[in-house]
Amino acid sequence: MQLSDKHKLKAAITGVGGYLPDDILTNSDLEKMVDTSDEWIVTRTGIRERRLLKIANKGTSYLCVKAIEDLLSKTDTDPLTIDAVILATVTPDFQVSPTSSVIISEIGAHNAFGFDLSAACSGFLYALSTATSYVSSGRYQKVIVVGGDMMSSLVDYTDRTTCILFGDGAGAVLIEPSQNGFGFEDEYCRSDGYNQMLLGVKAGGSLYPTSIETVKNKWHKLYQDGPTVYKRAVSEMYNATFEILKRNGLDADTIDFFLAHQANKRIIDSTANRIGIDSVKVLLNIDRYGNTTCATIPLLLYDYENQFKIGSKMIITAFGGGFTWGSAYLTWAY
Ligand code: COA
């Protein structure tokens, strides 16, 4: 049965919160740790510094709770009214028990359920897809999507090809039924598992459980084939965004803001160039935070929230390990 447009619910982002830990790791700090230079890092990636969570016995849940507390306070939301919390992350506090449960208890959302969603750097996009479907189905009214990662827990700080790229942080959004017709409009998401070994963490899962050998081999640290990932990221973010624009009757000029996963400034610029999006519409914070994996897009929303107007047209696009990728079209609701 098709619902008439009159009865269709649209889900919208109705608030944004964020959190970055205080400790800063600059390029000059990295120069003392590995054979690299500020000039190489800035020209190849656009990154100048990143934040690291260095508080003892704190993990990803800590970053996410801080971001959600900010969101709840800014939107004056009672945590008891929250129906669900979806956490996008690649660095859960533990295996098996979901970090979203810890978050739900810590924020006092005692009427909510939640789960962790794992889709590498596309995690926030996929979680947004899930949450907006929950709300537009009419089943739930208030869903929090939080993207948070403590990448410093996976990074090998002796490997110059990866340690310069990543940082820690979290961003959260509230999803509710739209009151004015603006909100989540469309999405195009895809996955492809043929290239799993190009980006990821080899051990600690069911294929290579933790052993003395896996630890000795550093198989619990992040690795990637940077140049191959780079090329695929540009082409898939371009393809997904092209599809979204085409099927919504949009062209690059009609888009107000372009929010791409912050993995490398050159990837973002190349993708935006191929689509034809003016550089003033391309939102960036990679220079200050590096790649925070599932947190990059909500942290863009957090940093640029004041520039958005009701009805602003925006594209969100991401690409990550797996591979996973996609693009979403939103109209800003507040
Ligand atoms: N400092 C100085 N030199 C470095 C370096 C560093 N931190 N890291 C690598 N290099 C060297 C390499 O060893 C290589 O040297 P060689 O020519 O003597 O062999 C040279 O710089 C070029 O390396 P290359 O890997 O080709 O550089 P690049 O321009 O592709 O940049 C990345 C490397 C990782 C920054 C880039 O490939 C990238 O961003 N990839 C995708 C990242 C991504 O999207 N990841 C996640 C998706 S979520």
Side-chain angles (χ1 to χ4, degrees):
M1 191 184 70
Q2 284 266 309
L3 286 175
S4 72
D5 278 352
K6 196 172 138 208
H7 293 104
K8 263 187 199 159
L9 272 180
K10 191 176 280 183
I13 294 175
T14 56
V16 183
Y19 177 72
L20 280 316
D22 293 334
D23 273 286
I24 296 177
L25 182 69
T26 64
N27 290 351
S28 71
D29 294 331
L30 284 163
E31 282 175 351
K32 293 174 201 123
M33 296 159 66
V34 289
D35 179 14
T36 192
S37 67
D38 174 57
E39 197 263 332
W40 192 96
I41 301 172
V42 172
T43 52
R44 298 290 180 123
T45 71
I47 303 168
R48 293 181 185 279
E49 58 186 45
R50 50 307 278 139
R51 302 296 187 94
L52 301 191
L53 176 59
K54 287 190 167 172
I55 307 173
N57 302 317
K58 299 290 181 203
T60 294
S61 63
Y62 178 83
L63 301 168
C64 295
V65 166
K66 289 280 191 190
I68 296 175
E69 283 172 351
D70 180 47
L71 170 70
L72 295 175
S73 136
K74 276 169 69 184
T75 54
D76 196 21
T77 301
D78 177 351
L80 293 173
T81 64
I82 299 297
D83 297 311
V85 175
I86 306 176
L87 165 65
T89 192
V90 298
T91 53
D93 287 3
F94 298 109
Q95 297 265 31
V96 182
S97 88
T99 303
S100 51
S101 298
V102 179
I103 294 171
I104 282 171
S105 297
E106 294 269 322
I107 62 168
H110 303 301
N111 297 314
F113 75 104
F115 53 91
D116 297 2
L117 187 152
S118 169
C121 297
S122 306
F124 180 80
L125 181 64
Y126 287 16
L128 194 62
S129 160
T130 311
T132 52
S133 302
Y134 276 168
V135 170
S136 60
S137 72
R139 194 177 298 159
Y140 300 110
Q141 275 70 51
K142 282 182 196 280
V143 180
I144 290 175
V145 178
V146 57
D149 271 305
M150 184 174 165
M151 294 307 290
S152 59
S153 65
L154 292 182
V155 167
D156 174 1
Y157 285 98
T158 64
D159 174 8
R160 70 176 182 172
T161 68
T162 51
C163 73
I164 55 151
L165 297 171
F166 295 94
D168 304 338
V173 297
L174 182 61
I175 308 294
E176 293 181 280
S178 170
Q179 301 298 323
N180 55 10
F182 296 112
F184 193 87
E185 306 287 349
D186 196 10
E187 70 184 32
Y188 175 100
C189 296
R190 293 290 184 274
S191 304
D192 161 13
Y194 288 121
N195 297 286
Q196 284 207 316
M197 304 319 275
L198 294 177
L199 168 58
V201 173
K202 191 167 180 180
S206 55
L207 209 50
Y208 299 102
T210 309
S211 66
I212 291 171
E213 192 197 10
T214 62
V215 174
K216 267 191 195 154
N217 289 339
K218 293 193 175 181
W219 286 357
H220 298 271
K221 295 295 179 189
L222 193 82
Y223 67 86
Q224 77 168 331
D225 173 347
T228 310
V229 174
Y230 182 113
K231 284 186 208 118
R232 189 76 188 267
V234 173
S235 75
E236 298 298 5
M237 287 197 290
Y238 165 77
N239 291 338
T241 303
F242 179 82
E243 286 298 326
I244 278 285
L245 293 178
K246 190 173 69 178
R247 71 188 193 196
N248 287 280
L250 301 165
D251 59 44
D253 290 342
T254 52
I255 295 303
D256 298 305
F257 298 102
F258 183 68
L259 293 82
H261 170 55
Q262 308 280 293
N264 183 321
K265 185 174 182 298
R266 287 190 298 142
I267 293 180
I268 302 164
D269 290 344
S270 305
T271 310
N273 270 339
R274 275 181 75 178
I275 302 164
I277 293 189
D278 194 315
S279 61
V280 297
K281 299 175 178 178
V282 178
L283 306 191
L284 294 167
N285 57 15
I286 189 168
D287 54 324
R288 286 172 292 140
Y289 311 146
N291 182 351
T292 54
T293 304
C294 292
T296 63
I297 288 167
L299 284 174
L300 283 176
L301 295 168
Y302 174 68
D303 278 349
Y304 288 91
E305 184 187 16
N306 290 341
Q307 293 189 23
F308 305 154
K309 299 191 174 60
I310 292 177
S312 291
K313 293 183 170 66
M314 42 181 81
I315 295 287
I316 288 177
T317 188
F319 180 88
F323 292 135
T324 56
W325 69 93
S327 188
Y329 166 45
L330 272 75
T331 47
W332 197 246
Y334 66 97

